Amino acid sequence: MPEGTTKPGASDASRRLEKTFDPASFEQKWYRSWEAERRFEPSGPASSPRFVMVIPPPNVTGRLHIGHALGRTLEDVLARWNRMRGHRVLWVPGTDHAGIATQMVIERQLASEGIDRRTLGREGFVARVWAWKREAKDTIQTQMKRLGCSLDWSRERFTLDPDLSRAVRHAFVQLYREGLIYRGRYVVNWCPRCGTAVSDLEVVHKEVDGKIYQIRYDVPGVRSGAVVATTRPETMLGDTALAIHPEDPRTAKLRGKTAVLPIVGRELPIVEDPILVDRAFGTGIVKVTPAHDANDFSTAERHNLPAVVVIGPDARMTKEAGADFAGLDRFEARKAILERLASENRLVATEDHRYALGHCQRCDTIIEPYLSTQWFVKIQPLADPAIQAVQQGAVRFVPESWAKTYFAWMENIHDWCISRQLWWGHRIPAFYCENGHITVSEEDPKACATCGLGRLEQDPDVLDTWFSSQLWPFSVFGWPEETTDLKVFYPTDVLVTGYDILFFWVARMIMAGLHFTGKAPFHTVHLHGLVRVGGEKMSKTKGNVIDPIEAIDEFGADAVRFALAAAASSGPTVSLEKQRLSGSRAFATKLWNASRFALGQFDPERPDGTPPRDLELPDRWILSRLSYAAGEVARQLELFRFDEAAQAIYSFLWHELCDGYIEMVKPRLSGPGASTESREAARQTLYRCLADSLALLHPFMPFVTEEIWEKVTGQVGTLIVTAFPRQRPEWSDPGAERSVEALRALVTRVRNYRGERSASPTEPVELSIDPASAPEILSDLRNLSAILVHLARLSDLRFEAPLEGATRDVVAGAAVGLSLPRPASSADRSRAEKTLSELDREIETLSAKLRNPSFLDRAPAPVVEKTRRRLAELEQRRSALSGATA
RNA sequence: AGGCGCGUGGCUCAGUGGUAGAGCGCUUCCUUGACACGGAAGAGGUCGGUGGUUCAAUUCCACCCGCGCCUACCA
């Protein structure tokens, strides 16, 4: 096959598209072009509205997954759409150091080399992480460029950059001085494997099947002693009291007594505590282990009880646990203690028990509540304004149902443990002198602020990674400096992210933004769903992971983007199947081929897309539909309904433009009988539809639309800044829509009739339209008769009452007769009878309704009227059809 | 335990107080000068169950069943 057989006048290669659609051949070219033309930087007059987003900075732990691709696609759709509607758009890129997650990645790497991070030392280890970070950042950047993200790379940031680190330090110092950061000894969530404290949010609760043990403690003076229940017998070595409810008659005899801790022999006061003890549960007696349970810790504070740490940071029993158990792992200790209790006859009962147990979000190790000195943010004073901001509408969630979840969490929020016993992150700016004083300051202090001692040591710990992420919407612009960028681009407009980090990040950004800048960091939060495949979370073990780059290689970036946007409904899951990807690629191919056809019509002179005055019915119809589609895309995008917006442009382009309009006008474009004026009207209309479709689709499929745009308009790389098409009231033409829809219905009816009569598509069918029917569309139908004959492949079309023997029907209000030059078979007749009985059923339903007095009485008049009309239509069809079969 | 959400054709999902929609898949036909990653026609659903409100419920309410997710200090 000779490539590109030339048609007369079609020799200009710049106006031709290759026969095969190959996205890889142009994607990178266009991204480089946009970058070179600095299209991703905010531009346009300062008076035009701005649209600002910050990227949720991906962790520098590795590669982006398909979930990132979803979020970035939605953001890019918004960025490109707003750019095209004339906004000054800024979308800030960057990455997150992701303290614990990244440190773990490197530790795993080291482990595979047989190295422990401690042998490298803190500096050596951190240097190694930095080297990794540079690599990971490049990978991530390349991935986002492949996806087409129109991020302003000149403003790229990293949470450990010097200026962002300064923001972190400033925020810490400010909160400390305001009394909103404090240091203290409390029970925190401790991961023994990671060797660090974690926040409540980093603990994943999972149901486990375990046992609950009842243990008898001796109580001098009470023969039966005290039986307590526990799921964690190993912690009993750290008991410092028993607790009962002050109003529980069952345990009244224990009041004021002292119990003896088995094995250890320690005397335990029996305290009365209505908060800790639930009268309705178990024996009504609770063991109090202040060092290993947060509730017990606060109980101990209320009653002035000591805390004994019996499990160390490595989850092994401490010296305090006694010589028999010290050094044992916590679960080995449990076994040993149970054996001892059993041998002492103190184990009263062992029952199966299902309960929730905290696991480390990162490594799945069972979390140990651990008494240690940590830094905390006092959160209530920050949470209150953040609650109000959402209540008062300064920040809104889309979908709005997330506000409920937000409130529920914010209203029961606990202080935030922000210190981490890690090496990778922002070091806590607290310095200790030998006298135990703390100096907190933005610059490294030379001497203790309290006693002036010169020898200071900085706190070895780092901050929770989210402490810096919460500052992201303003730290990227140079806060706390009053930079120009901060003034111009903050607060931002929209934040797009998955709902899984609503608490981790979104809520904290709102709190931090309000506290540090006095402004909510964005007015709208769009929370999208999580990507699932076949209803399941993607996981490497299930082998259903879709890698975005592999998908782009296979289907093209535009198809990946379109599939993601089209799948992004308002629900909590975004279901992505491979078939969706191939379906989106087919759509891109369809656009490609339709454009090839159109380009063939635009020679030798390129139309300018100005529809002439003497438009014909199909032209007016498609422009009316185009205008509607343009309005619909914008309306849906306003609502963050990316799926509906994608659907609107999809069905216009494929079903109306390609299947409808192009097929209707082919004879006018290339047929011998068409007049120059008629051809010109079709060319201009086709050009307008194609150019506007490219623009409407560009936010979703930037590469292929830019590629075709060049061929269609002759402009290179300008689609990205072309005005987004708007709904045009002057193009709205309900009359043309009605007539052309009627035409399409007639064509379908004829094809359908061939099916009923088992006729081949080429068998001649005669159609007659009764001129007495449907007077309002009759003249339009006469105008459209050439198209009707062509599309329906009619052998004859007459505007007269149906002939004897024809199959009668009513289509779009017009009484028609259809006939083939051969008699109907019995099969044909039974099909017709089936249609009739279906009609009868529906007629009966409707007339029953209209016979119902309360329906007539209470239903609104338009509904009754509509029902009447529908019934009349059905009866008309019925009598037409039965006339033919009778 | 509480909260939120979901249960619609084979699959994945939209949607609405007035006799159900899309994409994919399936069946049949069509290699017609843009496109077989295509065109045409078609089959396929008591909208989880039971009650209630209503002239009318897939849509609103209650309860139940099933499935997710989030939050949670019941020893």
Side-chain angles (χ1 to χ4, degrees):
Chain A
M1 260 289 202
E3 191 61 42
T5 18
T6 49
K7 277 190 252 175
S11 53
D12 183 354
S14 73
R15 291 203 208 172
R16 270 206 324 268
L17 293 170
E18 296 297 322
K19 179 153 169 61
T20 39
F21 167 59
D22 176 20
S25 68
F26 53 76
E27 285 179 357
Q28 318 242 3
K29 169 185 80 178
W30 287 118
Y31 198 89
R32 280 195 295 269
S33 157
W34 294 322
E35 276 197 293
E37 299 292 326
R38 302 172 65 167
R39 302 295 194 197
F40 303 158
E41 294 171 32
S43 68
S47 58
S48 48
R50 17 140 288 186
F51 181 81
V52 182
M53 294 184 293
V54 291
I55 197 174
N59 295 348
V60 288
T61 43
R63 307 169 59 77
L64 300 184
H65 53 70
I66 199 78
H68 291 113
L70 169 67
R72 276 359 101 219
T73 293
L74 302 186
E75 279 168 342
D76 198 44
V77 169
L78 292 176
R80 288 176 182 272
W81 171 52
N82 279 293
R83 198 177 287 117
M84 291 172 79
R85 59 203 305 227
H87 290 27
R88 302 182 66 209
V89 171
L90 173 60
W91 182 22
V92 180
T95 42
D96 195 309
H97 69 282
I100 191 168
T102 310
Q103 176 157 340
M104 271 186 66
V105 168
I106 307 304
E107 281 177 4
R108 261 201 299 269
Q109 284 177 6
L110 290 174
S112 71
E113 299 164 25
I115 306 172
D116 186 286
R117 78 174 144 101
R118 277 165 284 261
T119 60
L120 279 181
R122 185 163 186 153
E123 263 183 50
F125 178 79
V126 168
R128 170 121 187 193
V129 185
W130 271 105
W132 161 265
K133 175 261 165 186
R134 281 184 277 273
E135 216 175 286
K137 197 220 79 168
D138 286 349
T139 306
I140 289 166
Q141 190 181 60
T142 306
Q143 286 182 293
M144 289 197 285
K145 289 184 174 184
R146 286 288 313 272
L147 194 62
C149 300
S150 56
L151 288 151
D152 181 355
W153 294 105
S154 72
R155 285 184 167 83
E156 187 177 17
R157 295 289 184 272
F158 176 56
T159 49
L160 280 177
D161 283 346
D163 46 344
L164 276 81
S165 298
R166 200 154 54 96
V168 166
R169 201 142 160 176
H170 182 88
F172 186 96
V173 172
Q174 185 183 329
L175 289 173
Y176 181 75
R177 295 202 172 134
E178 291 166 336
L180 296 177
I181 279 185
Y182 62 91
R183 186 172 187 247
R185 198 166 143 79
Y186 296 95
V187 172
V188 296
N189 303 299
W190 182 269
C191 174
R193 201 220 58 85
C194 299
T196 181
V198 296
S199 71
D200 294 348
L201 286 175
E202 290 161 277
V203 177
V204 180
H205 294 270
K206 291 185 197 174
E207 293 267 300
V208 295
D209 288 313
K211 309 259 186 222
I212 187 164
Y213 308 93
Q214 292 195 4
I215 303 164
R216 186 170 41 78
Y217 289 32
D218 287 336
V219 180
V222 180
R223 216 179 40 197
S224 53
V227 175
V228 303
T230 181
T231 54
R232 304 200 56 201
E234 67 277 15
T235 64
M236 70 181 290
L237 302 174
D239 286 0
T240 57
L242 294 185
I244 56 172
H245 194 282
E247 286 154 32
D248 188 348
R250 289 184 301 165
T251 53
K253 58 180 182 252
L254 293 173
R255 277 193 211 149
K257 297 277 194 322
T258 302
V260 180
L261 178 60
I263 302 173
V264 179
R266 182 160 56 230
E267 288 202 354
L268 305 177
I270 297 176
V271 301
E272 299 177 37
D273 194 294
I275 299 171
L276 180 71
V277 184
D278 177 356
R279 291 165 60 180
F281 189 88
T283 59
I285 310 168
V286 182
K287 66 195 257 319
V288 181
T289 321
H292 296 286
D293 184 293
N295 288 311
D296 292 6
F297 183 80
S298 45
T299 305
E301 282 191 318
R302 288 193 292 274
H303 299 276
N304 239 330
L305 301 167
V308 180
V309 175
V310 293
I311 303 173
D314 53 357
R316 291 182 178 279
M317 307 309 284
T318 63
K319 280 187 303 210
E320 297 284 344
D324 292 352
F325 305 104
L328 287 182
D329 171 81
R330 51 185 165 168
F331 299 115
E332 293 167 2
R334 178 180 300 178
K335 245 173 95 182
I337 285 166
L338 286 169
E339 277 166 21
R340 175 80 74 86
L341 289 171
S343 72
E344 291 182 10
N345 233 351
R346 296 187 172 280
L347 197 52
V348 178
T350 302
E351 284 163 19
D352 289 335
H353 187 60
R354 199 169 163 74
Y355 57 101
L357 203 51
H359 292 67
C360 176
Q361 185 197 32
R362 294 291 159 194
C363 70
D364 211 37
T365 303
I366 293 173
I367 290 293
E368 186 63 43
Y370 178 60
L371 183 62
S372 55
T373 300
Q374 305 285 348
W375 289 89
F376 297 87
V377 173
K378 194 174 171 188
I379 208 81
Q380 199 66 52
L382 298 167
D384 287 338
I387 291 170
Q388 283 170 29
V390 175
Q391 277 169 345
Q392 293 165 1
V395 178
R396 88 187 159 113
F397 290 99
V398 178
E400 62 182 353
S401 55
W402 287 109
K404 241 183 201 171
T405 312
Y406 172 84
F407 290 135
W409 187 71
M410 292 290 275
E411 280 157 12
N412 297 294
I413 197 164
H414 293 81
D415 282 0
W416 175 18
C417 175
I418 51 171
S419 44
R420 297 288 180 274
Q421 287 64 49
L422 302 170
W423 286 349
W424 176 243
H426 298 100
R427 189 110 173 234
I428 291 176
F431 299 81
Y432 309 110
C433 75
E434 285 169 7
N435 295 330
H437 301 132
I438 303 175
T439 304
V440 169
S441 79
E442 285 197 46
E443 304 302 326
D444 287 3
K446 298 214 164 38
C448 173
T450 311
C451 67
L453 260 186
R455 291 205 12 223
L456 298 174
E457 247 180 78
Q458 184 169 6
D459 194 305
D461 293 349
V462 300
L463 288 164
D464 181 2
T465 201
W466 299 102
F467 190 88
S468 58
S469 319
Q470 67 174 346
L471 312 175
W472 184 251
F474 40 98
S475 64
V476 295
F477 295 126
W479 183 89
E481 295 298 308
E482 294 239 349
T483 61
T484 312
D485 271 10
L486 189 65
K487 277 185 217 137
V488 175
F489 298 118
Y490 184 84
T492 70
D493 290 280
V494 175
L495 182 89
V496 178
T497 192
Y499 67 81
D500 52 332
I501 52 176
L502 173 58
F503 305 140
F504 277 110
W505 192 45
V506 179
R508 286 169 178 163
M509 275 190 292
I510 297 173
M511 289 189 271
L514 290 166
H515 189 74
F516 293 115
T517 73
K519 294 170 188 161
F522 28 71
H523 55 73
T524 301
V525 179
H526 174 59
L527 294 169
H528 61 248
L530 273 24
V531 179
R532 303 284 166 103
V533 174
E536 288 186 316
K537 261 185 186 161
M538 282 190 291
S539 75
K540 282 173 194 156
T541 48
K542 283 183 188 128
N544 60 355
V545 180
I546 297 180
D547 177 85
I549 296 303
E550 283 172 18
I552 289 171
D553 288 340
E554 188 177 352
F555 300 101
D558 291 316
V560 172
R561 293 168 57 108
F562 192 85
L564 285 166
S569 62
S570 57
T573 58
V574 174
S575 213
L576 189 73
E577 314 294 316
K578 269 271 169 102
Q579 285 143 335
R580 276 198 105 117
L581 290 168
S582 51
S584 296
R585 182 182 50 189
F587 179 50
T589 308
K590 186 73 182 176
L591 170 66
W592 184 265
N593 285 313
S595 303
R596 287 179 58 228
F597 170 79
L599 285 166
Q601 313 305 316
F602 295 162
D603 287 320
E605 273 172 54
R606 201 195 307 270
D608 59 13
T610 317
R613 222 165 264 288
D614 48 354
L615 288 175
E616 299 181 19
L617 270 167
D619 310 333
R620 290 193 272 122
W621 167 70
I622 197 65
L623 288 175
S624 187
R625 299 307 301 157
L626 170 64
S627 165
Y628 171 79
E632 188 61 12
V633 171
R635 275 190 294 276
Q636 296 299 343
L637 285 179
E638 297 276 7
L639 300 171
F640 295 89
R641 287 305 302 264
F642 299 92
D643 57 336
E644 296 284 355
Q647 180 63 38
I649 178 66
Y650 180 97
S651 60
F652 169 75
L653 192 45
W654 198 315
H655 298 308
E656 297 188 308
L657 186 60
C658 291
D659 295 346
Y661 184 71
I662 289 180
E663 294 309 320
M664 276 180 227
V665 298
K666 272 179 181 170
R668 278 167 64 196
L669 288 166
S670 52
S675 69
T676 315
E677 292 76 20
S678 176
R679 174 162 187 262
E680 192 52 22
R683 289 177 72 230
Q684 296 288 1
T685 305
L686 180 58
Y687 181 94
R688 182 77 278 140
C689 287
L690 180 59
D692 281 9
S693 293
L694 292 170
L696 287 173
L697 193 53
H698 181 261
F700 299 90
M701 294 188 153
F703 297 110
V704 66
T705 50
E706 191 76 89
E707 174 74 9
I708 298 172
W709 178 261
E710 181 191 340
K711 313 293 180 189
V712 170
T713 66
Q715 296 176 30
V716 182
T718 59
L719 178 55
I720 187 172
V721 287
T722 292
F724 199 72
R726 277 190 293 198
Q727 187 151 18
R728 302 216 202 178
E730 71 272 23
W731 283 356
S732 171
D733 194 333
E737 291 205 21
R738 193 176 48 186
S739 298
V740 174
E741 302 307 340
L743 164 79
R744 300 187 82 190
L746 284 165
V747 172
T748 301
R749 184 64 188 93
V750 174
R751 288 170 174 164
N752 178 308
Y753 172 73
R754 280 204 181 84
E756 285 168 12
R757 297 291 307 272
S758 308
S760 86
T762 49
E763 228 175 308
V765 168
E766 292 173 8
L767 176 69
S768 56
I769 299 172
D770 188 343
S773 65
E776 63 280 7
I777 56 171
L778 190 68
S779 73
D780 280 354
L781 287 181
R782 285 187 199 272
N783 280 336
L784 293 166
S785 58
I787 297 173
L788 183 50
V789 168
H790 169 245
L791 292 181
R793 291 167 168 254
L794 298 175
S795 57
D796 192 20
L797 170 63
R798 279 190 298 268
F799 285 90
E800 59 185 44
L803 295 172
E804 200 63 31
T807 297
R808 290 155 195 257
D809 202 347
V810 178
V811 179
V816 300
L818 299 136
S819 54
L820 276 173
R822 58 180 168 81
S825 68
S826 64
D828 300 337
R829 271 191 292 271
S830 77
R831 242 188 303 258
E833 270 158 26
K834 194 185 157 211
T835 312
L836 266 184
S837 72
E838 278 167 8
L839 268 177
D840 280 340
R841 223 183 11 209
E842 207 178 328
I843 286 170
E844 180 42 37
T845 313
L846 289 179
S847 30
K849 222 173 185 179
L850 287 166
R851 267 184 262 116
N852 182 351
S854 44
F855 173 72
L856 296 171
D857 209 35
R858 308 210 185 181
V863 172
V864 178
E865 188 42 41
K866 206 176 145 194
T867 311
R868 282 216 173 89
R869 269 205 311 273
R870 173 99 182 116
L871 179 62
E873 257 174 52
L874 291 175
E875 279 173 338
Q876 197 191 358
R877 264 205 88 190
R878 209 205 98 93
S879 74
L881 281 167
S882 64
T885 36

